[in-house]
Amino acid sequence: MSSCKLSTKSLNIRSHFKVCANGFPSFLPKQVDNIKDSFARILAQRIERLPVQLTSSETSIMSSCVRPKMQGNTDPIVLLHGFDSSCLEWRYTYPLLEEAGLESWAIDVLGWGFSDLERLPRCDVASKRNHLYQFWKSYIKRPMILVGPSLGAAVAIDLAVNHPEAVSKLILIDASVYTEGTGGMANLPRLFAYAGVALLKSVPLRLYVNLIAFNDVSFSTSVDWMNIGRLHCLFPWWEDATVAFMTSGGYNVVPLIKQVKQQTLIIWGEDDKIISYKLALKLHGQLQDAKLRQIPDCGHIPHVEKPSLVADLIIKFAQQNCGTLSRV
């Protein structure tokens, strides 16, 4: 265990939300009460909205996140999520990081998650980057260890290269960084784009994605995880925000990978059926300073499937900031 100690200094941040009788923030879709997973329910009760002023806008985005209860003495851990997902991805791993004394934030990427997008902002790559940077500048204010799973890895690399002062280290989990944008979706007529996006939140497609993303998960668990994964899709602005991102061209961070200067930990599920391990090896070879660690008997989302192993890797990697050089 690290010699790093958790500060007794509380984070003096004023949040903006009301709590319902069931303990959930009032801004969450009412279907949150149907979720059975106790870890998801506990983390959902901690989701808050904080105002973030975008450079290109006169108004603030009420931005959803789970923030730490205390400020630590190490670089803060900032957890992103994958494509069309939310901070609830971290329902199993987040408590383990807190128990280890790490200052941990779970932030929803602009356009997804539980932020208030009634006044729909631009949701292209530049806007997502600006939102994350302004969040960091307003609330975190210290170099962070940025954790990006799947497409969140592209979000993390994009920020690390464009705002290196904000990122001390990177952790990339089953990284989706070699897809060059959204492909043909960027040129689709809007009617077809909306039809394609509507398919993204359909129950059959979400269940199928769970089938290939995870190893040996029961049907009842898969249904509950599907409900967790599509909860944010129930907001009235979700389709508009997702179409805006898809038609903008999406992420292409291939030219940025070799520019990453931060020390990087790559974590990869051994049985990932979505992204080939060959791309993990390629990424490891192209980054300037990287370690690669596999998670056995695990699919595409290790922080859901094997949270203890992922948490242990993150904790040891973070401990190096305190002068404790731990073998990962």
Side-chain angles (χ1 to χ4, degrees):
M1 185 58 65
S2 168
S3 61
C4 306
K5 301 296 183 183
L6 190 66
S7 170
T8 56
K9 178 182 177 183
S10 297
L11 291 174
N12 187 21
I13 299 172
R14 185 177 180 181
S15 56
H16 298 70
F17 68 101
K18 295 180 181 179
V19 177
C20 296
N22 58 11
F24 296 111
S26 59
F27 58 77
L28 292 182
K30 63 181 181 181
Q31 290 86 347
V32 67
D33 208 22
N34 298 331
I35 291 172
K36 298 179 176 61
D37 188 305
S38 61
F39 288 89
R41 293 178 68 88
I42 290 170
L43 196 62
Q45 290 173 352
R46 287 185 57 182
I47 296 174
E48 305 177 26
R49 282 176 172 171
L50 302 175
V52 175
Q53 179 77 45
L54 299 183
T55 304
S56 59
S57 174
E58 296 180 359
T59 59
S60 294
I61 301 293
M62 296 305 298
S63 304
S64 49
C65 67
V66 177
R67 62 183 173 97
K69 296 175 180 177
M70 308 288 279
Q71 180 175 326
N73 293 326
T74 65
D75 288 350
I77 305 291
V78 175
L79 307 167
L80 304 177
H81 55 74
F83 171 73
D84 190 27
S85 186
S86 77
C87 58
L88 291 179
E89 271 190 26
W90 293 99
R91 56 193 177 271
Y92 302 132
T93 305
Y94 188 93
L96 300 176
L97 299 178
E98 274 200 329
E99 287 173 11
L102 298 183
E103 178 185 330
S104 303
W105 298 73
I107 299 177
D108 283 334
V109 177
L110 181 68
W112 299 311
F114 304 103
S115 298
D116 184 351
L117 303 182
E118 188 170 3
R119 298 181 186 177
L120 188 68
R122 294 177 63 86
C123 292
D124 56 11
V125 168
S127 299
K128 291 178 187 291
R129 179 196 314 133
N130 179 241
H131 174 261
L132 181 55
Y133 178 70
Q134 295 301 330
F135 189 109
W136 171 81
K137 192 175 179 181
S138 298
Y139 300 107
I140 301 172
K141 302 178 182 179
R142 297 148 57 213
M144 57 185 167
I145 301 173
L146 191 56
V147 185
S150 195
L151 187 68
V155 180
I157 287 174
D158 178 71
L159 188 80
V161 171
N162 285 283
H163 295 289
E165 73 280 10
V167 182
S168 60
K169 291 183 177 183
L170 283 174
I171 300 176
L172 309 177
I173 303 176
D174 290 75
S176 177
V177 295
Y178 288 108
T179 300
E180 299 182 7
T182 55
M185 281 288 291
N187 301 314
L188 279 178
R190 292 187 70 81
L191 179 63
F192 292 101
Y194 272 93
V197 165
L199 184 63
L200 283 177
K201 72 173 178 181
S202 68
V203 169
L205 181 62
R206 293 270 172 167
L207 284 173
Y208 173 71
V209 170
N210 279 0
L211 180 66
I212 61 175
F214 301 110
N215 275 354
D216 194 25
V217 175
S218 70
F219 181 74
S220 60
T221 297
S222 186
V223 169
D224 199 39
W225 286 4
M226 179 269 297
N227 288 330
I228 296 167
R230 71 189 293 271
L231 185 65
H232 67 285
C233 302
L234 304 179
F235 282 122
W237 52 75
W238 172 81
E239 288 187 355
D240 292 334
T242 305
V243 167
F245 169 71
M246 299 297 283
T247 56
S248 74
Y251 280 91
N252 179 8
V253 298
V254 174
L256 302 182
I257 293 172
K258 293 182 179 180
Q259 299 179 44
V260 172
K261 293 181 171 60
Q262 292 87 348
Q263 184 182 9
T264 303
L265 172 64
I266 304 168
I267 300 173
W268 214 272
E270 190 177 63
D271 300 325
D272 190 338
K273 299 181 181 69
I274 295 177
I275 303 179
S276 170
Y277 183 62
K278 292 179 180 179
L279 294 181
L281 296 173
K282 180 178 180 180
L283 180 61
H284 180 255
Q286 291 186 333
L287 289 168
Q288 297 181 28
D289 183 6
K291 300 176 181 179
L292 173 59
R293 298 292 181 265
Q294 276 190 291
I295 304 291
D297 301 317
C298 182
H300 183 62
I301 312 179
H303 48 296
V304 173
E305 205 168 350
K306 301 287 185 178
S308 295
L309 295 179
V310 171
D312 187 53
L313 287 169
I314 292 175
I315 291 164
K316 290 179 180 178
F317 192 60
Q319 284 173 352
Q320 296 173 12
N321 287 351
C322 297
T324 303
L325 296 178
S326 302
R327 294 187 63 186
V328 180

